[in-house]
Amino acid sequence: MIRIVEVGPRDGLQNEATPIPTERKAAFIRALAAAGLKEIEATSFVSPKWVPQLGDAAELLARLVPPPALLSALVPNMKGLERALETSIERIALFTAASDAFTQKNIAMSVEESLQVFGEVAAAFRAARPGGWIRGYVSTAFECPYAGRIAPARTVEVARRLIEIGMDEVSIGDTIGVASPREVRALCRAMAGEIPTEKIAFHFHDTRGTAIATVAEGLAQGITAFDSSAGGLGGCPFAPGAGGNLATEDLIYFLEREGIATGVDLAALAHASLPILSALGRAPVAKAQLAALSASPPK
Ligand code: HMG
Ligand code: MG
């Protein structure tokens, strides 16, 4: 079975300056769940000074009780965990990177410091939520906008450390959307025997149009979990050049056409991000979304 982790409400919106009302975000998440997405990264408990758009994390989650899907939220540090634990969230995502230059810009820590902090955050979360689930991101897994190309061995090392400190899964992020299938193959080979394959997800950005090709290579290498963002919304405000995420519509179309059932209704999904796009004053651009919308236009 292939798992899809929808990151649009978090990775999609964190990059947007136009404030989106909390209820519209909640409606977006409900629509994504209604389209059949089972795992949704809903928001972030990062500093609202750094990412004002997601400053309403607690209020948003309060509107989503009971949760319409398995919801998760980013947590950067203990302060973020304290805020998260005031909500009903059962799944958190901690995020570091393969490159020190990026983690300094993104969370004001070195990779090593972040791993120390995450060890404490993970232990405190486990104590508070014994049934909880923790993902660890390794951003800039192929290339960093500040430090350049990243050797596969470095990404493997950070992913292995995250598993050692208790992550249930690592999500390997091509933050600026540069990777080719050959690089994905090389990284998968380097991870083999070091990280259990079922604990690896890939998080591709489609900045250069290579995301589906890299998903295909990930599948060929036995990877079973992929992140994507409805409508291809997204990017990272601290990674120059991080364009849109892989659109969930493109991913679903590709998987279904490959004979892999996803349980997601593509037409419903194609409509889910329209109210957000309209609030941002933007037209849809994701290819499979446009095709689905032309077959089933908005009323
Ligand atoms: P800092 O300014 O170094 O924090 O930020 P600090 O520890 O010096 O504290 C400064 C003030 O912030 C203090 O308040 C803290 O309490 C407060 P004051 O005493 O001045 O009143 N503070 C917080 N408030 C709310 N929530 C918190 C929090 N922490 C401190 N969690 C920090 C450090 C980590 C907070 C900051 O750098 C930050 O929020 N960074 C987040 C950046 C971010 O969200 N990046 C995007 C997500 S990563 C991504 O997109 C990549 C991914 O998609 C995968 C991929 O594509 O590769 C996941
Ligand atoms: Mg991302």
Side-chain angles (χ1 to χ4, degrees):
M1 201 200 68
I2 300 296
R3 288 173 43 233
I4 295 150
V5 181
E6 167 63 45
V7 297
R10 191 279 304 171
D11 206 349
L13 296 187
Q14 71 183 11
N15 213 26
E16 299 292 347
T18 308
I20 307 287
T22 307
E23 184 47 39
R24 195 171 282 223
K25 295 177 188 169
F28 180 35
I29 291 169
R30 288 188 208 104
L32 293 167
L37 288 158
K38 296 172 195 71
E39 297 179 50
I40 303 177
E41 199 168 78
T43 187
S44 265
F45 289 97
V46 297
S47 164
K49 286 190 192 130
W50 286 55
V51 182
Q53 179 71 264
L54 303 182
D56 62 351
E59 195 193 333
L60 174 66
L61 292 172
R63 286 170 195 249
L64 295 166
V65 178
L70 294 170
L71 302 183
S72 60
L74 287 194
V75 167
N77 56 13
M78 273 301 203
K79 171 79 185 166
L81 182 69
E82 283 161 23
R83 291 173 56 215
L85 289 176
E86 284 166 13
T87 74
S88 55
I89 201 89
E90 288 279 338
R91 295 160 77 90
I92 59 170
L94 312 180
F95 54 107
T96 187
S99 133
D100 277 315
F102 179 72
T103 47
Q104 285 292 357
K105 298 267 189 205
N106 199 35
I107 51 175
M109 299 178 220
S110 66
V111 174
E112 195 55 44
E113 283 166 342
S114 73
L115 292 168
Q116 296 298 326
V117 168
F118 294 174
E120 291 160 27
V121 170
F125 180 70
R126 294 277 182 220
R129 300 280 150 88
W133 181 91
I134 315 180
R135 134 181 287 211
Y137 279 101
V138 186
S139 287
T140 62
F142 298 91
E143 185 168 327
C144 169
Y146 309 106
R149 295 269 185 132
I150 303 290
R154 172 63 179 160
T155 298
V156 175
E157 183 195 342
V158 178
R160 194 177 46 74
R161 296 276 303 279
L162 284 169
I163 295 288
E164 275 169 15
I165 59 173
M167 303 297 112
D168 294 297
E169 169 175 86
V170 285
S171 178
I172 306 295
D174 183 14
T175 317
I176 53 170
V178 290
S180 73
R182 183 176 60 93
E183 291 165 80
V184 169
R185 189 157 60 246
L187 182 56
C188 287
R189 287 181 181 164
M191 288 192 289
E194 298 279 339
I195 322 277
T197 308
E198 69 279 6
K199 292 194 173 185
I200 301 170
F202 269 121
H203 176 109
F204 292 122
H205 284 243
D206 201 26
T207 320
R208 293 166 181 78
T210 55
I212 285 294
T214 48
V215 167
E217 186 58 40
L219 285 171
Q221 298 297 323
I223 302 297
T224 54
F226 297 93
D227 300 355
S228 60
S229 169
L233 288 163
C236 173
F238 307 100
N245 287 65
L246 164 60
T248 310
E249 292 85 348
D250 290 348
L251 178 63
I252 298 296
Y253 177 80
F254 173 74
L255 292 173
E256 294 278 344
R257 196 78 181 183
E258 284 287 283
I260 299 168
T262 64
V264 176
D265 176 339
L266 186 51
L269 172 63
H271 285 80
S273 59
L274 293 181
I276 295 288
L277 289 168
S278 129
L280 297 173
R282 215 170 295 152
V285 290
K287 290 194 173 73
Q289 181 183 23
L290 287 171
L293 288 173
S294 70
S296 141
K299 294 197 177 67

